[in-house]
Structures are given as C-alpha cells and as structure tokens.
C-alpha cells in the first residue's frame, strides 16, 4: 500500500492553503454546485442526449385510511415499515424530467406551482436554475396528464406562464376528456371535480394555447409517447432514445415503489380507473423487466432512476 511522506503531506497542505487563499470564490462555487447536484438534480446521458431528474420536493402527509383503496391501513403501514419507511407517514417525491437534445431544452411535467425556499414542494424552478438553465431557455414543456403535481408549475405565483418561450404539448386523449364540459358536469364532487377545475384554471391562463400529441408517435425528436391509461384516461409515459440507448419515463404508472411495485395489485387512491391502472402497471413492468430498460420515475425516491426486476409476487426497483 502506498504511503505519503511527511514532506509530501506538508507540501500538499501548503498547496491546499494556497488554493484556499487565492481562489475562495472557486471553492465556494464548487461546494455550492456539489450540494445542488446532490440535493436538487441528477444529470446523466442517454446516448447524445443530456437528461436530468430535477426535484420539486415531496408531499409529506399522514398515511390515510384509503391511500390504498383495496387494502387496510394496517397492512399498508406494515409494508412501509418492512421497506424501512415510516409506517404512519407518506413521503411522495416529485421529480420532473428535463432533457437537452440539440437546440431543444424540454421539460416533462412541471411539478407544483413555485414555492418559497424551503417549502415541501414547488422547488423545480429553483433546482432547474441550480442546474444552469433559465426558464426562458425551455423550448418545450410536455405534460403527461392533468394532475396538479404534473402541470401546476406551468404558471408562476403571479398566475402568468412560467416558461415564456416554450411550446406546451399535451396528450390528445387527456385533453379530449378533461376539457369536455359534459364530462366535467358528471364528475363527482371533491377531488375529481377539482381536477377538472384545475385543468381549466391552468390552461385558460395560457389561453388554451397547447399542441396535442398522439400516443405511439414522436412528440419531439428522440421522444415518443406511450399510452399508459388508468391513472387518468389519457395518462402518458415516454420513451427517450438516442442511438442504441433509451430510457422509459414512466410518469405515474406507479406511486410509492415500496408499495405499488412490490404489490402491483394494490390500488392507489389517485388512480381514476384502478383495474385498468393495474393492468397497465403489470404490462409495462413486465416489458421493462424483460428488456432491462432504465426507468425514470416521477414519484420514485430521488434521483428516481433505476431498473425493474420481476419477482415472484410483483416487482422490485434497483435504484441507480
């Protein structure tokens, strides 16, 4: 094993002292950047495409009686504890995906509306800036479905567009369903009625200037829309590919992996059609496990990247 002499150590100490004396601003920037990378974004490559998971924070809420609608709270709590998590509280991360491909800087889902520093969510724009990008740099925003944590960030706290130069792209089946007035009239009071009203709040503030995309077709160069309905009628995931490499961006095919990957037959309260969502989940993860494709998960623990393994009773996430 190599050893260092006292002279080398002293020489190294002197060099370090010189750096500290001569370039404190460099060190400060380096340390700040390292912290931001660890806390707020994770950058990697898919072929020639630069990809980032950019954290928006998390929902931290008590475990409710009906978070899993087809299981008792006690069983859900036990599953959380078995995974080393708090059995009485839920931590649901929010991780939009950003990629740069040529001249395009693309945001896939926006997170919540921007919040004050230190808030539980609404941190996406702050972390995007920490990664070196401005809101006006964004050329396209692709929305996977119309739940608030995926689209509320289209607007700032002033109710004006967050991405002033970006084209907004939405799934055609989702737009057809949620922007239909007859469907809105049939929505039950409470959460579902709120989803309809929130979609109109956001898109009306944008003068409904959106471009609709179709499943099974390219949305942008390198990005293809994959229909994964059940969570919502038009819920969409994506394949991002460059050369021989690809990644699957799975939106809300599942929520907390420790619960719904391990137990794919469990139905989260947010799934609009639970049985269809389960069928989509099993089909999607069977394919991803067989192909050993990397997966970027919106609600996976940060950095929200990994591969899926099929088990005897469900699936397992191997985190990157």
């Amino acid at each position: 094993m190599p050893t260092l002499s006292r002279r080398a150590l002293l020489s190294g100490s002197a060099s370090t002292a010189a750096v500290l004396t001569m370039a404190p601003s460099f060190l400060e920037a380096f340390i700040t950047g390292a912290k931001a990378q660890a806390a707020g974004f994770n950058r990697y490559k898919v072929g020639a495409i630069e990809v980032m998971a950019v954290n928006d924070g998390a929902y931290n809420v008590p475990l409710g009686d009906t978070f899993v609608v087809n299981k008792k709270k006690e069983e859900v709590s036990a599953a959380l504890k078995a995974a080393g998590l708090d059995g009485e509280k839920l931590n649901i991360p929010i991780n939009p995906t950003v990629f740069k491909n040529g001249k395009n800087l693309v945001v896939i889902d926006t997170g919540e509306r921007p919040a004050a520093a230190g808030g539980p969510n609404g941190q996406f724009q702050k972390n995007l800036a920490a990664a070196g990008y401005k809101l006006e740099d964004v050329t396209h925003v692709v929305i996977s479905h119309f739940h608030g944590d995926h689209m509320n960030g289209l607007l700032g706290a002033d109710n004006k567009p967050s991405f002033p130069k970006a084209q907004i792209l939405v799934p055609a089946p989702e737009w057809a369903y949620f922007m239909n007035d007859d469907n809105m009239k049939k929505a039950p009071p409470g959460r579902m009625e709120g989803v309809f009203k929130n979609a109109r709040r956001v898109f009306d503030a944008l003068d409904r200037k959106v471009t609709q995309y179709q499943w099974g077709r390219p949305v942008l160069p390198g990005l293809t829309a994959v229909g994964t309905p059940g969570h919502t009628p038009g819920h969409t995931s994506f394949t991002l590919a460059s050369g021989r490499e690809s990644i699957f961006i799975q939106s809300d095919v599942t929520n907390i992996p420790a619960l719904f990957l391990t137990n794919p037959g469990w139905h989260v309260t947010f799934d609009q059609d639970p049985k269809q969502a389960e069928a989509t989940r099993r089909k999607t993860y069977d394919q991803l496990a067989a192909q050993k494709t990397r997966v970027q998960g919106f609600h996976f623990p940060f950095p929200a990247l990994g591969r899926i393994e099929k088990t005897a009773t469900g699936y397992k996430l191997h985190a990157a």
Side-chain angles (χ1 to χ4, degrees):
M1 179 183 229
T3 58
L4 291 174
S5 68
R6 183 172 181 272
R7 178 179 295 179
L9 286 169
L10 289 173
S11 175
S13 298
S15 298
T16 301
V19 171
L20 286 168
T21 302
M22 295 172 63
S25 60
F26 168 80
L27 288 173
E28 183 180 357
F30 178 83
I31 293 168
T32 301
K35 289 180 178 179
Q37 169 78 0
F41 64 91
N42 182 57
R43 199 189 316 258
Y44 59 97
K45 282 293 198 78
V46 175
I49 301 175
E50 177 192 285
V51 185
M52 292 189 299
V54 181
N55 183 253
D56 187 57
Y59 294 117
N60 293 291
V61 294
L63 173 63
D65 293 338
T66 59
F67 181 69
V68 180
V69 298
N70 58 341
K71 291 294 173 181
K72 293 182 179 180
K73 178 181 178 181
E74 292 76 15
E75 190 171 353
V76 179
S77 179
L80 289 169
K81 291 177 181 177
L85 303 173
D86 191 323
E88 302 303 323
K89 296 180 181 179
L90 296 169
N91 179 274
I92 306 176
I94 304 171
N95 297 298
T97 302
V98 178
F99 71 89
K100 184 169 177 51
N101 189 12
K103 295 182 180 180
N104 290 338
L105 180 64
V106 183
V107 170
I108 301 179
D109 291 336
T110 66
E112 281 285 2
R113 187 183 294 198
N121 49 51
Q123 302 299 316
F124 170 78
Q125 294 184 18
K126 179 191 73 174
N127 286 326
L128 184 66
Y133 293 111
K134 300 176 182 178
L135 297 180
E136 53 265 34
D137 294 336
V138 176
T139 59
H140 303 81
V141 178
V142 182
I143 301 298
S144 67
H145 64 291
F146 290 176
H147 285 171
D149 54 332
H150 294 257
M151 58 178 278
N152 282 353
L154 284 169
L155 302 179
D158 57 1
N159 216 41
K160 294 182 180 179
S162 294
F163 308 93
K165 298 181 180 180
Q167 179 183 9
I168 311 300
L169 299 103
V170 300
E174 193 83 343
W175 185 269
Y177 182 84
F178 281 106
M179 303 306 286
N180 181 286
D181 291 338
D182 289 336
N183 288 340
M184 183 173 176
K185 291 176 183 177
K186 298 174 186 176
R191 181 180 170 274
M192 279 308 304
E193 183 181 37
V195 174
F196 278 92
K197 289 182 177 180
N198 186 64
R200 282 161 170 72
R201 177 188 69 83
V202 173
F203 292 122
D204 285 350
L206 299 172
D207 295 326
R208 302 200 180 192
K209 293 180 179 179
V210 301
T211 300
Q212 298 180 46
Y213 63 82
Q214 302 288 339
W215 289 343
R217 299 180 186 177
V219 182
L220 292 166
L223 187 71
T224 300
V226 180
T228 49
H231 184 63
T232 65
H235 179 266
T236 306
S237 299
F238 307 92
T239 297
L240 181 64
S242 173
R244 295 183 178 182
E245 296 186 22
S246 65
I247 190 167
F248 189 79
I249 302 168
Q250 68 114 61
S251 305
D252 282 9
V253 175
T254 193
N255 198 275
I256 299 174
L259 296 180
F260 304 102
L261 265 176
T262 306
N263 306 286
W266 289 14
H267 299 162
V268 69
T269 187
F270 309 123
D271 285 342
Q272 194 165 332
D273 186 333
K275 291 184 178 180
Q276 186 182 39
E278 178 185 343
T280 293
R281 188 157 48 248
R282 292 182 184 275
K283 177 182 177 182
T284 300
Y285 292 141
D286 280 350
Q287 293 176 348
L288 293 173
Q291 296 167 1
K292 298 181 180 179
T293 304
R294 285 187 294 175
V295 181
Q296 186 72 56
F298 190 82
H299 291 302
F300 288 2
F302 187 80
L305 178 66
R307 285 184 168 85
I308 304 298
E309 175 191 350
K310 189 169 184 178
T311 67
T313 56
Y315 307 90
K316 182 178 180 181
L317 174 66
H318 292 279

